[in-house]
């Protein structure tokens, strides 16, 4: 169904020259850069900031004739596949998180009241700066991601050989390593009473009690999602 919708949108934008300032339009513009016969394209300046300048390569054939080819190489299937991943990774995970947050608040009235008082204290100023200064809201979201982790298993590709401390175990270069984030998040060794939804675990005064690398709803380190 998603693929059909994306195909329909692509066809409409290309036939009707409809433009939007969104992720899909960036990919359409990148595709147009590859297929265009001229360097003068009707694309957003924003595209160039993201993709950089598109290089034009000059090829010489056997008849000593030159032809120009563009960089990038996006097909409609590439756009569809990338859009699907964007939808699943961005929309579905956010929807699942919000659903579990509301559910958890509904069955924990004291937590609900505490969050209500924090939100009400903003006096209707719900801009980014204000919301980012709401520690209890952040704690509610973090605890929800711990208990209802949208990505239960995380994998990484070893770029080089690595020995795990004094365990005697060595990860060879090129191996895929999988981390069971779900089990870590539900381990009583790291989270007392792990099946209980308790935002207090992630309040600023309690965060330093968390064992490093035992909370990774989207991975951790420089390659986290």
């Amino acid at each position: 169904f998603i693929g059909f919708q994306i195909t329909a949108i692509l066809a409409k934008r290309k036939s009707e020259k409809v433009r939007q300032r969104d992720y899909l339009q960036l990919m359409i513009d990148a595709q147009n850069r590859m297929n265009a016969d001229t360097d003068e394209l009707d694309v957003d300046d924003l595209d160039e900031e993201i993709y950089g300048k598109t290089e034009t390569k000059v090829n010489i054939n056997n008849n000593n004739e030159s032809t120009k080819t563009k960089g990038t190489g996006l097909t409609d299937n590439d756009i569809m596949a990338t859009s699907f991943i964007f939808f699943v990774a961005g929309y579905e995970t956010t929807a699942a998180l919000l659903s579990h947050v509301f559910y958890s608040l509904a069955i924990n009235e004291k937590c609900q009241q505490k969050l209500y008082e924090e939100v009400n204290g903003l006096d209707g100023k719900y801009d980014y700066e204000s919301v980012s200064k709401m520690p209890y809201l952040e704690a509610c979201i973090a605890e929800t991601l711990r208990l209802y982790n949208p990505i239960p298993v995380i994998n990484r590709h070893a770029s080089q050989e690595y020995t795990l401390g004094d365990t005697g175990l060595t990860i060879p270069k090129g191996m895929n390593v999988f981390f069971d984030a779900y089990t870590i998040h539900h381990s009583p060794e790291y989270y007392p009473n792990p099946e209980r939804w308790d935002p207090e675990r992630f309040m600023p005064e309690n965060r330093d009690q968390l064992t490093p690398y035992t909370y990774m709803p989207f991975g951790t380190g420089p390659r986290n999602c």
Side-chain angles (χ1 to χ4, degrees):
F1 176 76
I2 297 175
F4 174 79
Q5 290 289 85
I6 295 173
T7 301
I9 295 173
L10 281 174
K12 180 177 181 180
R13 292 195 184 181
K14 290 180 179 180
S15 62
E16 300 180 6
K17 306 289 185 184
V18 177
R19 291 186 57 81
Q20 300 289 340
R21 290 182 65 85
D22 58 20
Y23 182 74
L24 184 59
Q25 189 65 51
L26 289 175
M27 290 191 289
I28 293 174
D29 289 345
Q31 185 184 53
N32 289 339
R33 287 172 181 265
M34 178 195 70
N35 296 330
D37 295 325
T38 176
D39 291 331
E40 296 180 3
L41 295 174
D42 180 22
V43 295
D44 242 314
D45 291 339
L46 178 62
D47 299 348
E48 204 161 79
E49 295 177 14
I50 295 175
Y51 293 110
K53 292 184 178 296
T54 304
E55 294 183 359
T56 301
K57 298 180 180 179
V58 178
N59 303 317
I60 306 298
N61 60 23
N62 293 333
N63 296 323
N64 205 31
E65 297 174 337
S66 63
T67 58
K68 291 183 178 181
T69 58
K70 296 286 180 180
T72 36
L74 285 173
T75 65
D76 284 354
N77 284 338
D78 292 330
I79 293 177
M80 187 184 306
T82 306
S83 299
F84 179 77
I85 294 296
F86 187 83
F87 175 82
V88 173
Y91 180 83
E92 194 276 336
T93 53
T94 302
L97 166 62
L98 293 176
S99 296
H100 285 117
V101 167
F102 294 143
Y103 167 76
S104 300
L105 288 169
I107 61 176
N108 293 275
E109 293 186 13
K110 290 184 179 179
C111 297
Q112 181 185 145
Q113 181 62 30
K114 185 171 182 177
L115 179 59
Y116 169 77
E117 292 172 359
E118 183 178 72
V119 173
N120 199 42
L122 293 178
D123 296 324
K125 298 178 181 178
Y126 303 125
D127 55 20
Y128 178 82
E129 287 73 19
S130 298
V131 173
S132 64
K133 297 176 182 177
M134 298 174 64
Y136 196 70
L137 174 61
E138 182 177 351
C140 288
I141 292 174
E143 174 66 349
T144 302
L145 288 173
R146 179 197 69 82
L147 189 58
Y148 305 103
N149 189 3
I151 305 178
V153 178
I154 298 167
N155 69 293
R156 291 293 182 267
H157 185 80
S159 61
Q160 60 186 22
E161 184 177 287
Y162 184 81
T163 300
L164 297 172
D166 57 358
T167 63
L169 298 175
T170 298
I171 300 173
K173 179 180 179 179
M175 174 180 281
N176 286 319
V177 182
F178 292 83
F179 301 88
D180 186 357
Y182 179 90
T183 299
I184 295 174
H185 284 188
H186 290 74
S187 171
E189 179 181 355
Y190 306 119
Y191 298 98
N193 197 1
E195 299 305 320
R196 178 189 175 199
W197 188 77
D198 182 11
E200 294 296 330
R201 306 179 201 267
F202 291 92
M203 289 297 285
E205 62 270 21
N206 298 324
R207 274 185 175 266
D208 60 348
Q209 299 177 23
L210 299 177
T211 302
Y213 301 104
T214 59
Y215 175 70
M216 45 183 179
F218 297 103
T220 188
R223 296 289 181 180
N224 68 326
C225 178

